[in-house]
């Protein structure tokens, strides 16, 4: 195996789910595992959640749903992304629930199911203020009415998505909840039972208890990472993912010696430089050039020069190291810790992008 790899601690994933369940009074959970389970490995993580008794799994793509079914997952799986007409047969074939964001998709689904004499299980999507997919809340009554009239459609849920829930102070989230509940009240008005109402992503789960409703859809907090570095830490979540490597080469350099492409860093005095065998080709952000840090021997070592596709260099100042020394890029070493949130600040992005960029070139191993 490569010396650069991801290690996911399954007992930490279990711990995070337990904390989240306590926080939501043991409501049902749809565990969101899209984008390779936020970099943690789709299949392994999904099977853990199935063992832990979550109620369903959420993915973005039809293809992610198919991978899960092929791997033997029998839990309900909901596909969040927009559905194209030509995807409907496969969604049904693989027993995947999906989001119906419009009357058009509803009609296409009903038509197909009628011709095939089968039923689709769907979640109607209401746009309460995200502006991505869904029928705008004010116009949603007719979507709901047509769905109720469609004989081959099983309306399992009605849902919406937050735009700003990672900020506990943002009033737009409360407005979205109101708009959503108003739209959903149509079921009662029409004299039918209301399907599962869901809107809470990680921010909603953490900061807006009134958004928890019938089932929640947490993603990033399952993995022990907060949506933004500035998010209040109200649960004792622990990060489950570590990114590790080993020093592949070490050298002493004289003053005036430049490091890496573009020669963007030059030593002022003699220095000890270690090379680490991974780079942006693995999803390690090139934006960390001359900005990021890694841990070696329990100390923070600044990245010097540009991050290359497969390697980069760090400055160990006066400490002469041997090739083979353990490097922690994400995680803890001797009491020091580098978090995904901290990396996202260095890279001027969000923790989600750091995690989901870590690609298949990095082997994943599972502990506990
Ligand atoms: C990604 C996603 C989630 C989970 O979002 P987090 O912020 O990671 O909790 C929930 N619902 C939908 C529709 C999503 O696309």
């Amino acid at each position: 195996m490569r010396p650069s790899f991801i290690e996911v601690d399954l007992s930490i994933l279990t711990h995070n789910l337990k904390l989240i369940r306590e926080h939501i009074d043991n409501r049902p959970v749809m565990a969101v595992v899209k984008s390779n389970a936020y970099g943690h490995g789709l299949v392994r993580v999904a099977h853990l959640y199935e063992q832990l008794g979550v109620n369903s799994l959420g993915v973005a793509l039809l293809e992610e749903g198919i991978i899960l079914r092929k791997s033997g997952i029998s839990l309900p799986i909901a596909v969040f992304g927009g559905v194209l007409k030509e995807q409907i047969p496969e969604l049904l074939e693989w027993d995947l629930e999906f989001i119906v964001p419009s009357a058009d998709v509803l009609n296409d689904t009903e038509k197909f199911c009628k011709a095939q004499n089968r039923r689709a299980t769907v979640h109607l999507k209401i746009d309460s203020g995200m502006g991505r997919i869904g029928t705008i809340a004010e116009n949603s009554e007719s979507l709901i009415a047509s769905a109720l009239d469609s004989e081959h459609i099983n309306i399992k849920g009605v849902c919406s998505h937050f735009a700003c829930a990672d900020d506990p102070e943002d009033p737009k989230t409360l407005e979205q909840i109101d708009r959503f509940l108003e739209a959903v009240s149509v079921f009662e008005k029409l004299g039918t039972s209301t399907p599962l109402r869901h809107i809470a992503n990680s921010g909603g789960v953490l900061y807006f208890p009134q958004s928890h409703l019938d089932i929640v859809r947490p993603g990033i907090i399952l993995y022990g990472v907060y949506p933004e570095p500035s998010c209040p830490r109200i649960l004792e979540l622990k990060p489950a993912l570590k990114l590790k490597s080993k020093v592949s080469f070490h050298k002493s350099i004289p003053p005036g010696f430049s490091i890496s492409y573009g020669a963007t860093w030059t030593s002022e005095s003699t220095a000890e430089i270690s090379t680490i065998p991974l780079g942006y080709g693995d999803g390690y952000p090139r934006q960390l050039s001359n900005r990021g840090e890694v841990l070696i021997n329990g100390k923070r070592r600044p990245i010097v020069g540009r991050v290359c596709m497969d390697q980069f260099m760090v400055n160990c100042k006066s400490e002469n190291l041997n090739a083979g020394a353990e490097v922690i890029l994400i995680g803890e070493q001797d009491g020091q810790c580098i978090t995904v949130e901290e990396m996202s600040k260095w890279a001027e992005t969000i923790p989600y992008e750091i995690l989901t960029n870590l690609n298949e070139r990095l082997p994943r191993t599972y502990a506990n």
Side-chain angles (χ1 to χ4, degrees):
M1 195 174 83
R2 265 186 88 174
S4 305
F5 64 97
I6 286 171
E7 187 181 284
V8 175
D9 189 325
L10 298 174
S11 71
I12 293 180
L13 291 177
T14 305
H15 160 89
N16 292 336
L17 179 64
K18 181 165 171 279
L19 283 187
I20 292 165
R21 279 175 159 160
E22 283 166 13
H23 182 69
I24 59 170
D25 300 326
N26 285 310
R27 275 186 177 69
V29 173
M30 179 189 292
V32 178
V33 293
K34 61 188 177 184
S35 202
N36 203 21
Y38 293 59
H40 293 61
L42 175 62
V43 168
R44 187 67 192 83
V45 169
H47 281 266
L48 175 72
Y49 289 136
E50 186 163 66
Q51 260 174 29
L52 295 173
V54 304
N55 302 75
S56 58
L57 296 171
V59 294
L61 310 182
L62 162 66
E63 288 73 13
E64 293 170 326
I66 295 175
I67 290 171
L68 290 179
R69 283 284 177 254
K70 285 185 173 165
S71 80
I73 290 281
S74 54
L75 278 177
I77 299 171
V79 175
F80 294 152
V83 168
L84 291 170
K85 191 174 173 178
E86 60 267 30
Q87 295 174 316
I88 295 171
E90 277 207 285
L91 286 161
L92 294 172
E93 191 56 42
W94 291 97
D95 190 23
L96 301 169
E97 299 172 4
F98 55 97
I99 298 297
V100 167
S102 66
D104 283 349
V105 174
L106 181 73
N107 294 337
D108 289 337
T109 306
E110 172 63 17
K111 230 193 253 166
F112 180 81
C113 288
K114 191 169 179 184
Q116 300 268 318
N117 193 26
R118 58 205 296 188
R119 290 173 71 84
T121 298
V122 306
H123 301 252
L124 303 178
K125 179 85 166 219
I126 292 170
D127 184 351
S128 61
M130 172 68 181
R132 191 166 62 182
I133 57 172
T135 296
I136 290 175
E138 287 68 24
N139 309 332
S140 59
E141 181 160 353
S142 68
L143 175 70
I144 293 174
S146 328
L148 288 168
D149 280 344
S150 305
E151 284 173 19
H152 301 82
I153 304 273
N154 170 26
I155 312 173
K156 179 172 174 181
V158 55
C159 60
S160 190
H161 192 59
F162 285 135
C164 306
D166 43 19
D167 177 358
E169 308 295 331
D170 198 318
K172 288 194 277 299
T173 301
L174 299 175
E175 289 165 23
Q176 280 199 254
I177 297 170
D178 286 348
R179 229 176 269 138
F180 178 57
L181 291 177
E182 170 73 26
V184 164
S185 68
V186 165
F187 285 97
E188 226 171 78
K189 204 177 103 191
L190 295 174
T192 57
S193 59
T194 306
L196 289 180
R197 301 162 303 161
H198 51 103
I199 189 168
N201 57 359
S202 289
V205 167
L206 288 171
Y207 307 125
F208 296 91
Q210 61 279 61
S211 76
H212 294 171
L213 303 177
D214 304 321
I215 184 167
V216 298
R217 304 191 307 260
I220 199 156
I221 56 174
L222 291 170
Y223 307 98
V225 175
Y226 278 82
E228 289 264 1
S230 61
C231 279
R233 303 293 193 259
I234 64 166
L235 295 179
E236 298 286 315
L237 302 168
K238 291 188 213 154
L241 179 146
K242 285 187 177 148
L243 178 57
K244 298 182 171 183
S245 187
K246 285 182 178 164
V247 171
S248 60
F249 182 80
H250 187 89
K251 62 178 172 290
S252 313
I253 57 168
F257 194 93
S258 293
I259 300 288
S260 195
Y261 289 120
T264 59
W265 184 88
T266 304
S267 57
E268 280 165 12
S269 50
T270 57
E272 297 293 325
I273 302 291
S274 286
T275 299
I276 319 242
L278 91 176
Y280 65 78
D282 301 293
Y284 192 77
R286 186 170 175 274
Q287 292 95 313
L288 300 197
S289 300
N290 291 307
R291 300 184 75 164
E293 293 172 347
V294 305
L295 302 173
I296 306 173
N297 286 351
K299 288 200 203 102
R300 287 174 174 262
R301 318 288 179 167
I303 296 175
V304 287
R306 289 203 179 129
V307 173
C308 310
M309 189 186 295
D310 320 297
Q311 310 180 62
F312 68 92
M313 277 61 77
V314 298
N315 188 358
C316 298
K317 311 266 163 76
S318 59
E319 205 170 326
N320 191 344
L321 293 172
N322 287 325
E326 185 192 57
V327 182
I328 298 290
L329 300 99
I330 298 174
E332 229 179 86
Q333 192 186 53
D334 302 335
Q336 282 285 321
C337 186
I338 290 175
T339 63
V340 174
E341 288 91 330
E342 184 177 18
M343 271 175 75
S344 76
K345 271 199 262 184
W346 291 332
E348 296 179 57
T349 181
I350 51 173
Y352 298 82
E353 193 184 16
I354 300 289
L355 285 174
T356 57
N357 275 351
L358 299 173
N359 63 37
E360 316 74 57
R361 220 168 66 150
L362 293 165
R364 274 138 180 99
T365 63
Y366 294 91
N368 304 314

